Amino acid sequence: MANSISHLLILLQADSVLLKHDKVYSILAVILVIFFAILFMLWRTDRKASQLEKKIEDLENS
Amino acid sequence: MKMGRNIYKAVGVGLILYALIYGMTATLPVMRTLEQSSRNLFYHVPMWFTEVVLMAISVFFSIKYLRMTDPEAKTSGNPLIADTRARESALLGVLFNGLGLITGIIWGRVSWGQNIPSNEFAAWWVWDPIQTCALITLLIYLGYFLLRSSFAEPEQRAKIAAVYNIFAFAALIPLFFVIPRILDGLHPTAQGENTGLFDTKNVTNIYRMVLYPSALGFILLSIWIYQVRVRISSLDLRIEHLMAEKSYKNQQS
């Protein structure tokens, strides 16, 4: 009886360990860092395309 | 004007941020076996929403290409831009198809295959109908790029690829929306008693409140990537046009 209760307690701890000790926030932080880094590169590529479009427009008009 | 064109990018990024932050921290109903991995619904399923939208864009521009090159059609503009749009959206669609398969394998490993040792194939891949249909779809679209790579002449490549793309999309609809619903499977959308671990009765509104915004966010982000890639490819077409003009002028003088 006591054995099974302690087993249950361990299970409960294991299930809630991610949320209880705020460890899920570390995963979230990692994902956000990756997401923002990729987003930054996409934004830079977008701007680069705009610059090239301007350059080619000048070339076509010359 | 420019602000208006860019607003969808901000909306897409905002929706994905909401899905990441709220989806990872929200308190969800406890589901047996899935447990915390049920959060994968917010990131795995939007890959498929996004793929279908991209493939629909692709087939739209393939049809547009064929209409523009019709000798009786009165259209202006370069039809090869429509071909470029079809190619770029199909390429991104293949990317999201691959991401959907990989995220599905990772999720399946800890849910469907959790009691199977890692060295067994069934721990990673179970030939579930949706899984199999998604793999077939990926192979069909890889065939589209294989076909494209076998033509050197741009107009010929564009025309044959456009026709193939219509057949590919016609195959995608039953593979995604019909066959998996008829057959028994582990996915919750499958027919039959055994609806797997993600019982649709358990999908409460809190899941929908994250899933749908997340799907829309990923669709908008993919359209941003698609637009950037189309713009760069169009520049390539314009440079080729300029170079052709230049060599024509050189020949004249």
Side-chain angles (χ1 to χ4, degrees):
Chain A
M1 182 68 187
N3 202 2
S4 65
I5 286 173
S6 66
H7 184 65
L8 192 69
L9 277 174
I10 290 167
L11 275 181
L12 277 174
Q13 268 181 340
D15 194 39
S16 53
V17 79
L18 264 178
L19 285 173
K20 245 192 190 143
H21 302 290
D22 291 347
K23 288 191 180 168
V24 71
Y25 297 112
S26 70
I27 307 173
L28 184 59
V30 168
I31 294 172
L32 288 177
V33 166
I34 295 170
F35 181 63
F36 275 115
I38 293 171
L39 209 62
F40 177 68
M41 283 312 288
L42 178 60
W43 179 69
R44 287 286 301 263
T45 315
D46 192 323
R47 281 216 343 197
K48 194 149 204 168
S50 302
Q51 286 167 3
L52 282 173
E53 274 167 350
K54 260 185 89 175
K55 260 190 195 171
I56 238 177
E57 231 156 78
D58 293 343
L59 210 64
E60 280 172 338
N61 294 332
S62 65
Chain B
M1 178 64 193
K2 202 157 186 278
M3 271 294 286
R5 268 186 309 174
N6 286 333
I7 209 150
Y8 79 93
K9 300 171 188 171
V11 172
V13 170
L15 288 173
I16 294 176
L17 280 177
Y18 161 76
L20 288 176
I21 296 167
Y22 188 63
M24 285 294 282
T25 54
T27 311
L28 298 171
V30 178
M31 284 198 221
R32 118 196 108 82
T33 315
L34 283 179
E35 287 149 18
Q36 297 295 341
S37 86
S38 68
R39 292 177 204 278
N40 261 339
L41 181 82
F42 310 140
Y43 317 112
H44 164 71
V45 181
M47 300 297 113
W48 301 111
F49 278 73
T50 310
E51 193 214 339
V52 171
V53 170
L54 287 167
M55 293 316 188
I57 293 172
S58 180
V59 78
F60 172 81
F61 282 107
S62 280
I63 293 168
K64 195 176 175 197
Y65 176 83
L66 293 174
R67 288 175 68 103
M68 282 175 96
T69 50
D70 182 355
E72 284 167 33
K74 292 190 191 87
T75 46
S76 57
N78 188 353
L80 282 178
I81 291 187
D83 177 58
T84 299
R85 288 185 174 273
R87 185 194 68 213
E88 291 301 339
S89 52
L91 187 66
L92 271 176
V94 164
L95 173 76
F96 279 90
N97 193 320
L99 286 174
L101 282 173
I102 293 167
T103 52
I105 287 169
I106 295 168
W107 195 5
R109 180 70 195 87
V110 298
S111 49
W112 301 342
Q114 66 165 351
N115 296 322
I116 305 169
S118 278
N119 59 357
E120 276 179 47
F121 185 70
W124 306 91
W125 190 272
V126 291
W127 299 109
D128 171 75
I130 294 191
Q131 206 176 25
T132 312
C133 287
L135 181 66
I136 295 168
T137 311
L138 182 70
L139 294 175
I140 289 172
Y141 277 97
L142 288 178
Y144 171 76
F145 289 100
L146 200 67
L147 187 70
R148 291 190 69 93
S149 67
S150 56
F151 293 98
E153 213 268 308
E155 276 82 15
Q156 193 187 20
R157 173 175 58 216
K159 181 174 247 168
I160 292 172
V163 174
Y164 181 93
N165 198 14
I166 294 169
F167 283 104
F169 192 72
L172 180 144
I173 292 169
L175 281 168
F176 269 39
F177 300 106
V178 183
I179 298 170
R181 275 157 216 252
I182 297 170
L183 298 172
D184 273 346
L186 295 164
H187 276 91
T189 49
Q191 175 71 33
E193 288 291 301
N194 179 18
T195 53
L197 302 166
F198 218 128
D199 195 335
T200 34
K201 284 192 287 271
N202 287 331
V203 183
T204 49
N205 280 334
I206 193 166
Y207 282 99
R208 292 194 182 90
M209 266 172 57
V210 187
L211 169 63
Y212 294 133
S214 174
L216 184 62
F218 277 103
I219 288 167
L220 292 175
L221 183 77
S222 76
I223 289 175
W224 183 5
I225 302 171
Y226 156 77
Q227 291 285 16
V228 170
R229 289 193 57 98
V230 165
R231 282 164 62 198
I232 292 171
S233 299
S234 307
L235 287 173
D236 195 33
L237 288 175
R238 279 159 79 178
I239 288 172
E240 265 168 35
H241 183 72
L242 277 177
M243 279 162 68
E245 253 181 6
K246 200 178 162 196
S247 67
Y248 178 72
K249 272 182 196 158
N250 285 348
Q251 276 175 6
Q252 294 278 317
S253 56

